[in-house]
């Protein structure tokens, strides 16, 4: 199903971050931060995030670690997206940095140590496939042969460490949960000393759907007992729940009970948040800047409202913020 956010803008090529901020002489937490709340837009820096948070606010952070999910073969590059429960994987085949859409059931794709076999289309248009990998231990296989997934706006290859956040604990994301990338250990310490609470959730991200504007695919998630309790406590005591990334929004909102409380929950979520289906728990989010027409924009609109998202994106363009996983950041508050 195609999705079309209300937020409209044109992204100049020059605003796509082609390298980590460290390569630009900045530390992770020195990227620009735009704070959007009500009718106000404030320009600051990420290491001053605490100026816009209060004691008793709760940050939900995704502990999923990034995989070296791209494996180059003689014919195609395979992006390993999502591990399914039966040992098969959802994959995307790439041909010269574009999706390869002409696969058929039974195709065998040569890769190191064997072949990848296409079993069935996973998404309309043959962009994503269910496939049998060359070996059973895919995580070990990716450690041996994989590299981080990159797109053509990134000019060179960077090590896997460049694609990990300080919260990463459990490998499982095909692409970095990049909203948390600007956090440093020093900033986390400052926020904790200020009385800002931090709680973990896990959601393993599949490959992005930037090319085809698709609804997000089902993803594996986990909201632990202590995180559910802390969210309920914060809401009951007047604090704000601020998700670090669209992944954290999707995970926590997948654990909301009919009465509006959060329960421990894990498994697969196919939740899609839109302005007509807004979050029940999340009061704001920290996020990077998303490409035009990306389905993530619908989630932003559901949290902050279409007008605020459009205002933030207009201001970011005017002030030459940088886009994508190595770019600048935004705090949007309801």
């Amino acid at each position: 199903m195609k999705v079309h956010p209300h937020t409209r803008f044109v992204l100049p090529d020059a605003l796509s971050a082609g390298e980590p901020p460290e390569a630009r002489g900045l530390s992770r937490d020195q990227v620009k931060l735009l704070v959007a709340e009500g009718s106000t837009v404030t320009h600051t820096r990420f290491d001053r995030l605490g100026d816009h948070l209060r004691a008793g606010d709760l940050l939900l952070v995704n502990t999923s670690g990034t995989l070296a999910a791209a494996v180059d073969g003689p014919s195609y590059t395979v992006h390993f997206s999502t591990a399914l429960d039966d040992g098969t994987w959802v994959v995307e085949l790439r041909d010269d940095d574009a999706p390869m859409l002409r696969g058929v059931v039974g195709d065998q794709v040569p890769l190191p140590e064997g072949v990848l076999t296409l079993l069935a289309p996973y998404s309309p248009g043959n962009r994503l496939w269910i496939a049998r990998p060359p070996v059973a231990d895919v995580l070990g296989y990716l450690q041996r042969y994989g590299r981080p997934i990159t797109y053509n706006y990134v000019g060179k290859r960077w090590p896997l460490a460049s694609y990990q956040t300080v919260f990463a604990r459990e490998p499982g994301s095909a692409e970095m949960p990049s909203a948390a990338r600007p956090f440093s250990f020093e900033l986390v310490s400052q926020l904790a000393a200020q009385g800002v609470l931090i709680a973990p959730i896990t959601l393993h991200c599949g490959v992005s759907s930037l090319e085809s504007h698709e609804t997000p695919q089902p993803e594996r998630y986990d909201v632990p007992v202590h995180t559910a309790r802390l969210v309920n406590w914060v809401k009951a005591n007047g604090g704000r729940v601020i998700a670090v990334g669209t992944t954290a929004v999707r995970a926590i909102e997948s654990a909301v009970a009919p009465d509006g409380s959060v329960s421990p929950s894990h498994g697969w979520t196919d939740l899609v948040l839109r302005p007509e289906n807004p979050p029940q728990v999340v009061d704001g989010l920290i996020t990077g800047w998303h490409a035009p027409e990306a389905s993530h924009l619908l989630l932003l609109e559901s949290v902050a409202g279409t007008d605020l998202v459009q205002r933030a994106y207009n201001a970011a363009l005017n002030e030459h913020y940088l886009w994508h996983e190595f770019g600048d950041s935004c705090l949007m508050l309801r």
Side-chain angles (χ1 to χ4, degrees), residues 4-271:
H4 297 285
H6 299 288
T7 303
R8 292 283 182 263
F9 63 97
V10 176
L11 179 62
D13 289 344
L15 296 187
S16 292
E19 58 191 5
E22 300 92 301
R24 305 193 294 270
L26 303 174
S27 62
R28 283 179 177 239
D29 58 10
Q30 289 179 327
V31 296
K32 291 195 283 191
L33 174 68
L34 184 150
V35 181
E37 181 176 16
S39 60
T40 304
V41 169
T42 303
H43 300 287
T44 182
R45 209 169 67 177
F46 199 87
D47 56 3
R48 299 176 189 137
L49 175 65
D51 294 346
H52 303 276
L53 301 177
R54 305 190 289 253
D57 285 344
L58 173 63
L59 296 179
L60 293 173
V61 300
N62 189 355
T63 59
S64 179
T66 310
L67 301 170
V71 178
D72 297 314
S75 305
Y76 303 105
T77 295
V78 176
H79 288 178
F80 285 78
S81 177
T82 305
L84 300 178
D85 294 334
D86 62 358
T88 60
W89 276 68
V90 178
V91 302
E92 181 189 43
L93 273 59
R94 306 283 295 189
D95 186 5
D96 291 333
D97 205 47
M100 195 282 285
L101 303 177
R102 48 187 191 277
V104 297
V105 173
D107 274 358
Q108 294 193 324
V109 181
L111 286 178
E113 291 188 27
V115 297
L116 176 111
T117 305
L118 303 185
L119 301 177
Y122 187 71
S123 67
N126 287 13
R127 185 175 79 87
L128 299 176
W129 283 84
I130 300 172
R132 185 184 305 112
V135 299
D137 176 19
V138 174
L139 295 187
Y141 181 80
L142 296 178
Q143 286 182 331
R144 294 193 297 277
Y145 298 109
R147 57 175 176 81
I149 289 175
T150 58
Y151 296 106
N152 55 12
Y153 54 81
V154 176
K156 59 177 277 192
R157 292 183 182 174
W158 298 94
L160 186 60
S162 295
Y163 293 86
Q164 303 293 6
T165 74
V166 298
F167 304 113
R169 293 295 178 271
E170 181 186 347
S173 283
E175 297 188 24
M176 175 174 49
S178 56
R181 193 186 193 279
F183 281 89
S184 63
F185 291 113
E186 292 80 8
L187 178 57
V188 171
S189 297
Q190 290 172 22
L191 294 173
Q194 182 183 323
V196 175
L197 306 168
I198 298 176
I201 58 93
T202 303
L203 185 138
H204 295 311
C205 315
V207 296
S208 80
S209 54
L210 296 181
E211 286 109 351
S212 44
H213 323 311
E214 299 156 346
T215 301
Q217 301 292 337
E219 292 169 313
R220 197 188 302 272
Y221 79 104
D222 179 41
V223 175
V225 172
H226 52 279
T227 294
R229 288 176 181 162
L230 195 52
V231 169
N232 293 331
W233 183 87
V234 166
K235 298 295 284 188
N237 286 278
R240 299 176 296 182
V241 174
I242 297 170
V244 179
T246 57
T247 59
V249 179
R250 193 182 202 195
I252 199 67
E253 293 293 333
S254 298
V256 177
D259 66 358
S261 66
V262 174
S263 301
S265 180
H266 68 276
W268 292 88
T269 177
D270 58 2
L271 177 67

